[in-house]
Amino acid sequence: MKSLRTLVVLSTIVIMAGGAETTAAAVHHEECLSVHARAIGQNLGGGRTHATIIHAGILNGTTTGQLQITGGTPPLLTVEGTGVLTTHHGTLTVRIVGTFNQATGVFTATGQIVHGTGMFAGATGVLTFEGVEDPTTGSFTQTITGTVCLAHG
């Protein structure tokens, strides 16, 4: 009888602990948003960029980038750096790596979301930036695609 009582108590503790984990997971679930946006911007020189994001819903706003050349063979260079998307709802910081073709102006970069503020606090996801820069003026257009998962708590 004593071992049966111990088994019942242990089973209850396991069930209660499992329920607590389920509740915690439910409180911290994520809502993932598919991103398909456009941006129009300017290469400011020294690895700095600025663009206006459009057709992006809650991500409408601006983006700034700070990139550095990490390698490659001209005209195809590899780059890495940080991009910050700023909206009325908060910011998203993305650590990006990619390529830039100096001859054609074609670029592509992909990165993980590493920080967020406002409604983007705790967000995760991956964004890809693909576009073309005019080599003579530094102006560019790009598409921004990927997924942003918002943390709720």
Side-chain angles (χ1 to χ4, degrees):
M1 186 68 172
K2 184 175 180 181
S3 62
L4 179 59
R5 205 172 327 157
T6 303
L7 182 60
V8 169
V9 169
L10 287 175
S11 297
T12 303
I13 290 170
V14 169
I15 291 169
M16 289 173 65
E21 288 175 6
T22 302
T23 302
V27 170
H28 296 291
H29 76 280
E30 295 180 334
E31 174 187 352
C32 294
L33 308 170
S34 181
V35 176
H36 211 47
R38 295 197 40 83
I40 301 166
Q42 183 67 41
N43 181 336
L44 304 173
R48 296 174 302 121
T49 64
H50 184 272
T52 299
I53 305 167
I54 56 175
H55 305 299
I58 65 169
L59 289 180
N60 281 343
T62 61
T63 181
T64 57
Q66 182 63 54
L67 303 170
Q68 61 183 341
I69 298 170
T70 57
T73 303
L76 188 60
L77 304 175
T78 56
V79 296
E80 69 176 46
T82 304
V84 178
L85 287 73
T86 303
T87 77
H88 293 295
H89 305 286
T91 64
L92 281 173
T93 302
V94 181
R95 184 82 180 131
I96 54 179
V97 295
T99 59
F100 175 66
N101 186 315
Q102 292 175 307
T104 64
V106 172
F107 62 89
T108 184
T110 300
Q112 291 282 126
I113 295 170
V114 295
H115 183 72
T117 65
M119 81 176 298
F120 303 116
T124 59
V126 175
L127 294 175
T128 298
F129 305 82
E130 296 178 310
V132 178
E133 178 180 311
D134 181 324
T136 57
T137 65
S139 65
F140 63 86
T141 59
Q142 68 182 350
T143 58
I144 304 170
T145 57
T147 304
V148 176
C149 296
L150 304 176
H152 294 285

